[in-house]
Amino acid sequence: MEKNQQLEAKYGLFTAISMVIGQVIGSGIFFKVDDVLLATQGNVLAGLLGFVIVGISVVFGAISMSNYAEVLPKDGGVLNYVNFRFGETASYFVGWMYMSLFYPLLTAVLFTVSGIYIAHFCAEFMSFSPGNLHFLLIGLVNVLIFFVFNIFRPRSSGIFQQFTMVLKILPLILIASIGILSLIKGDVEETNTFAFAVKNISNSPSFILLVAASFVPISFAFDGWYIATQISGEIKNSRKNLPKALIIGTIAVMVIYVSYYSGIVLRMSGDEIIALKDTYITEFSRKVASNTGALVMQLFIIISVLGAANGLLLATIRVPFQFSNLPKAKKFLNIDVIDPKTKMPVNSALLGLAIIIMYMLIYFVSNTAPVFTERGFDISAIPIVFIYMVNGALFIGLFRLFRKDVFTGNKILKKIMAVTAIFGIVVVLLGTATAPNGITYMLISLVFLVFGFLLKKS
């Protein structure tokens, strides 16, 4: 085995764009719409504004993040950007959070969600009622299968990302088109229209709080756009292709998400979606098509979620490798080694897999134990709060780099984009703080940072 070996550049622009789009779509939109409406108490207009606000924040964030991709074309990933701007100590703590919390927890959630949809699909043909144990076991099988592919067939994994990106966009566009056509034909109940929501809107601060409450689940739905930076060293002509992928991908996602949400709520009421929870999309398909249409839609969703989960897994298994190569990180378990046969950091991947499985078990407990369910506690929100804080710090850090004149292009325009990105981060974090359990999520992130500090001092 060899140490400090460079990863091979094997992914093109289309794969990088598919990483951005594919990682975001499928990592929330299908199973967070009901959470958005639950947070807004069924107010569809508040949810729409939430999607627009968070979407704009993400686009400007991607534009600002592309500045780092320009100056660090090979040493990508938010972790290396933090190291470049704030130094070794800051990058150590972000790397620790990435390895111990952020990536493995999100990956665990997505593979469990893949188990949810596969179990419900199987229940259409088999006589059983899907439960949390089914979701966990199917998710565990999925993560093991995709782990093997990422280690021994990394190129096949990249092809799967492209394949799933195309497939997952089709049903979203179809649903958006159905809603728009229904509105044009007048085949929409008045109570489901945004015009009706506007007429009945209150000028009291409560509406603003409803919009803010939607930021937590919507931020999860938009999360993942920056994960393509994690494999920048494996992207061909990364200096040009990675910034393009970030910008093109996030704009496409924002348009698709707003259209999808509109298409859904124009045909189903907020209360109906809340009652159906994650299965709302199946019932939507039955409304506009048939039982066969519902089954086809379920297949699309399964592929979509697996694509997102695979993208997260692709990044997660590399994070321990990157963490171990940080100057202030401790070397252990040979996770800084690349296997000469597979050209992959196998030990890093095995550690990432072990942490993922641990979080899948914790997620199972959080969805079954009354102490969590009665409080509406969602552990998937914890890493989202953390990454918004990190991204905000990076955007603020751009201004010192602007003064050093390290970037090409229009400096004034870049500064305007950065200010807008920072404003978006502040809005989302304030909305999170006012949401149920929002402060708790922030405190848990702080506890993980303390553990990282203790590890560093040991």
Side-chain angles (χ1 to χ4, degrees), residues 48-222:
L48 177 66
L49 290 176
F51 270 101
V52 172
I53 293 170
V54 176
I56 292 174
S57 169
V58 166
V59 170
F60 281 102
I63 293 171
S64 295
M65 194 70 78
S66 67
N67 289 307
Y68 289 102
E70 177 187 332
V71 296
L72 296 171
K74 293 298 181 183
D75 302 315
V78 173
L79 180 60
N80 284 315
Y81 299 161
V82 170
N83 187 36
F84 171 74
R85 176 58 188 85
F86 298 109
E88 296 175 355
T89 299
S91 65
Y92 164 83
F93 282 108
V94 175
W96 160 254
M97 294 292 284
Y98 270 11
M99 183 179 70
S100 65
L101 175 71
F102 183 79
Y103 279 106
L105 177 50
L106 291 181
T107 306
V109 171
L110 260 294
F111 273 105
T112 302
V113 170
S114 74
I116 292 174
Y117 286 111
I118 291 175
H120 280 286
F121 179 79
C122 293
E124 298 280 349
F125 307 97
M126 303 167 65
S127 179
F128 78 100
S129 297
N132 286 294
L133 184 58
H134 298 108
F135 308 153
L136 172 64
L137 294 176
I138 295 173
L140 286 171
V141 171
N142 290 341
V143 74
L144 292 174
I145 291 172
F146 279 91
F147 176 81
V148 171
F149 265 100
N150 274 282
I151 294 298
F152 297 104
R153 292 290 184 272
R155 292 182 188 275
S156 298
S157 179
I159 293 172
F160 181 74
Q161 286 303 113
Q162 298 177 24
F163 173 70
T164 57
M165 184 200 71
V166 174
L167 284 186
K168 70 178 62 177
I169 289 177
L170 291 177
L172 293 173
I173 294 175
L174 176 62
I175 289 170
S177 301
I178 289 172
I180 293 170
L181 291 173
S182 298
L183 187 62
I184 294 173
K185 291 170 59 179
D187 188 23
V188 175
E189 294 183 17
E190 184 183 1
T191 54
N192 287 0
T193 63
F194 294 118
F196 179 83
V198 171
K199 290 178 184 177
N200 292 273
I201 192 173
S202 170
N203 292 324
S204 65
S206 60
F207 179 75
I208 297 175
L209 292 177
L210 290 179
V211 175
S214 73
F215 292 163
V216 175
I218 291 175
S219 295
F220 186 99
F222 271 101

Side-chain angles (χ1 to χ4, degrees), residues 294-411:
L295 291 174
V296 172
M297 183 61 70
Q298 284 178 283
L299 283 173
F300 273 114
I301 294 171
I302 289 169
I303 294 172
S304 174
V305 174
L306 285 174
N310 178 62
L312 268 174
L313 181 64
L314 188 150
T316 301
I317 61 180
R318 290 164 170 80
V319 171
F321 169 79
Q322 293 186 335
F323 175 72
S324 67
N325 282 296
L326 294 174
K328 295 194 179 277
K330 296 183 181 295
K331 306 293 183 182
F332 60 96
L333 300 178
N334 286 328
I335 58 176
D336 59 330
V337 172
I338 295 179
D339 182 80
K341 293 182 179 180
T342 62
K343 304 298 182 182
M344 289 290 294
V346 177
N347 291 342
S348 167
L350 289 171
L351 177 60
L353 176 65
I355 301 174
I356 290 169
I357 293 174
M358 178 190 72
Y359 276 122
M360 291 182 76
L361 296 174
I362 293 174
Y363 190 51
F364 170 78
V365 173
S366 72
N367 284 322
T368 54
V371 66
F372 294 109
T373 58
E374 290 174 0
R375 291 172 173 78
F377 193 83
D378 181 8
I379 67 170
S380 66
I382 300 171
I384 305 302
V385 172
F386 165 75
I387 197 60
Y388 266 80
M389 292 177 176
V390 174
N391 288 348
L394 283 172
F395 301 153
I396 293 171
L398 283 171
F399 288 91
R400 184 177 179 184
L401 299 178
F402 289 147
R403 290 194 294 271
K404 291 183 176 181
D405 201 32
V406 300
F407 301 114
T408 59
N410 190 313
K411 306 297 189 301

Side-chain angles (χ1 to χ4, degrees), residues 10-67:
K10 50 184 171 285
Y11 302 127
L13 174 61
F14 187 69
T15 297
I17 294 174
S18 73
M19 275 291 293
V20 177
I21 298 177
Q23 189 50 52
V24 179
I25 295 175
S27 63
I29 188 60
F30 292 117
F31 72 98
K32 285 294 182 181
V33 168
D34 59 309
D35 294 327
V36 170
L37 291 169
L38 182 63
T40 64
Q41 299 175 21
N43 191 307
V44 296
L45 181 60
L48 177 66
L49 290 176
F51 270 101
V52 172
I53 293 170
V54 176
I56 292 174
S57 169
V58 166
V59 170
F60 281 102
I63 293 171
S64 295
M65 194 70 78
S66 67
N67 289 307

